[in-house]
């Protein structure tokens, strides 16, 4: 049984289709990265899976429970952390955890045990009496995660959990995610950080409401056609314009930092013998650029 299954999951707001016929299959214990630019449909999908939004059409199952018919049962089994940390600033760290323990109807003994575990996990044991408003973004993030998993849910939905958080806090946060996954928790996390996506077992790319790729990071890179060249240059836009003007056959071509990346079929390598290129392994960003451009072409035609 899959932890998450969706069948043509769709959400329409007026004339705007935010999520368009998305099909997902996420195994138990998987860290599933849900990637896409802002406004692509990531948060809307997560909110439907958590029972916060009703699908316009299509459906799915969470832990074998039907999204449409068993929404309340689903809510009891999931942890959800939104991009806006759902903490009460005027409460202390401990009071926030106690509040959530009450929401999840934990017994007094279970509540005490789990709160101590969450304080330990978040590194907040010595700051339990501190007001939440005084915590930095990274500490708030870890407290919010502690509140979301206080009831030990088998599945956890994290919506842009590391936005606006410093790199060190992001790394520590991901260490906790790995640990949860190893304990069997299924984690679905939305992000626009490509480096975070590299750590996921599987990735879905969503663009303009459409799921345009869904596989492991390794497979996504392997499935990119042709050979990827990296050409270093002090003037990426100038070189990009020059290469575009040559009108040679390419699969993709775009500036990338202080380089230009050129995706070509192997037999076209001779076209670039005048350039000091390196043949490189595609990054997830390269993969995403390719799929987005392919989807645009598909929509135009």
């Amino acid at each position: 049984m899959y932890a998450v299954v969706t069948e043509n999951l769709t959400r329409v707001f007026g004339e705007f289709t935010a999520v368009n016929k998305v099909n997902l299959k996420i195994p138990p214990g998987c860290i599933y990265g849900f990637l896409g630019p802002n406004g692509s449909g990531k948060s809307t999908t997560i909110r439907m899976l958590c029972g916060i939004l009703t699908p316009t059409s299509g459906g799915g199952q969470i832990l074998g429970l039907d999204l449409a018919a068993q929404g309340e049962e689903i809510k009891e089994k999931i942890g959800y952390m939104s991009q806006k940390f759902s903490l009460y600033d005027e409460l202390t760290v401990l009071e926030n955890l106690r509040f959530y323990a009450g929401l999840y109807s934990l017994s007094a003994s279970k509540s005490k045990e789990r709160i101590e575990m969450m304080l330990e996990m978040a590194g907040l044991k010595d700051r339990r009496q501190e007001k939440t408003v005084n915590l930095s973004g990274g500490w708030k993030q870890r407290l919010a995660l502690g509140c979301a998993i206080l009831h030990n849910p088998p599945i956890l939905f994290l919506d842009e959990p590391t936005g606006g958080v410093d790199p060190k806090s992001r790394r520590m946060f991901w260490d906790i995610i790995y640990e949860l996954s190893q304990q069997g928790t299924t984690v679905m996390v939305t992000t626009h950080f490509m480096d975070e996506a590299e750590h996921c077992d599987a990735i879905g790319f969503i663009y303009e409401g459409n799921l345009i790729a869904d596989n492991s990071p390794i497979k996504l890179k392997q499935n990119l056609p042709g050979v990827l060249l990296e050409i270093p240059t002090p003037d990426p836009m100038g070189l990009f314009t020059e290469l575009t003007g040559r009108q040679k056959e390419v699969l993709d071509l775009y500036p990338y930092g202080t380089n230009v990346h050129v995706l070509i079929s192997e037999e076209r390598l001779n076209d670039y013998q005048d350039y000091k290129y390196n043949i490189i392994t595609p990054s997830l960003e390269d993969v995403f650029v390719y799929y987005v451009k392919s989807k645009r072409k598909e929509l135009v035609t």
Side-chain angles (χ1 to χ4, degrees), residues 25-27 30-35 187-189 197-205 213-218 220:
K25 285 186 176 178
I26 304 174
C30 174
I31 301 175
Y32 188 88
F34 203 42
L35 270 76
V187 182
M188 185 174 183
V189 54
E198 294 277 1
H199 304 310
C200 298
D201 301 311
I203 295 169
F205 281 139
D214 181 16
N215 218 321
S216 70
I218 291 172
L220 285 168

Side-chain angles (χ1 to χ4, degrees), residues 196-212:
E196 290 188 350
E198 294 277 1
H199 304 310
C200 298
D201 301 311
I203 295 169
F205 281 139
I206 189 167
Y207 177 70
E208 293 186 350
N210 297 283
L211 189 68
I212 59 175

Side-chain angles (χ1 to χ4, degrees), residues 129-190:
Q129 299 301 341
E130 191 167 333
K131 277 199 173 182
T132 302
V133 70
N134 297 327
L135 299 177
S136 69
W139 291 109
K140 278 186 180 178
Q141 170 205 53
R142 288 153 76 185
L143 175 58
L145 178 62
C147 291
I149 62 173
L150 195 60
H151 57 312
N152 202 20
I155 185 163
L156 179 61
F157 294 98
L158 304 172
D159 191 9
E160 299 275 2
T162 56
V165 174
D166 65 89
K168 185 182 176 185
S169 294
R170 278 172 58 200
R171 284 193 298 274
M172 293 173 82
F173 191 83
W174 274 89
D175 287 342
I176 297 169
I177 292 176
Y178 294 142
E179 197 173 319
L180 289 168
S181 172
Q182 284 164 7
Q183 292 165 5
T185 305
T186 307
V187 182
M188 185 174 183
V189 54
T190 72

Side-chain angles (χ1 to χ4, degrees), residues 8-53:
N8 294 326
L9 192 68
T10 300
R11 177 69 198 203
V12 177
F13 296 97
E15 298 292 309
F16 175 65
T17 302
V19 176
N20 185 35
K21 296 180 180 175
V22 166
N23 294 294
L24 296 170
K25 285 186 176 178
I26 304 174
C30 174
I31 301 175
Y32 188 88
F34 203 42
L35 270 76
N38 290 335
S40 58
K42 301 188 301 294
S43 295
T44 303
T45 303
I46 290 281
R47 286 173 190 150
M48 284 192 283
L49 296 178
C50 292
I52 298 167
L53 273 178

Side-chain angles (χ1 to χ4, degrees), residues 63 75 93-94 96-97 105 137-138 162 200 202 217 242 246 285:
L63 305 169
K75 284 176 187 173
V93 167
L94 185 57
N96 263 296
L97 286 163
S105 304
T162 56
C200 298
E242 178 189 324
R246 294 169 74 225
E285 198 165 338

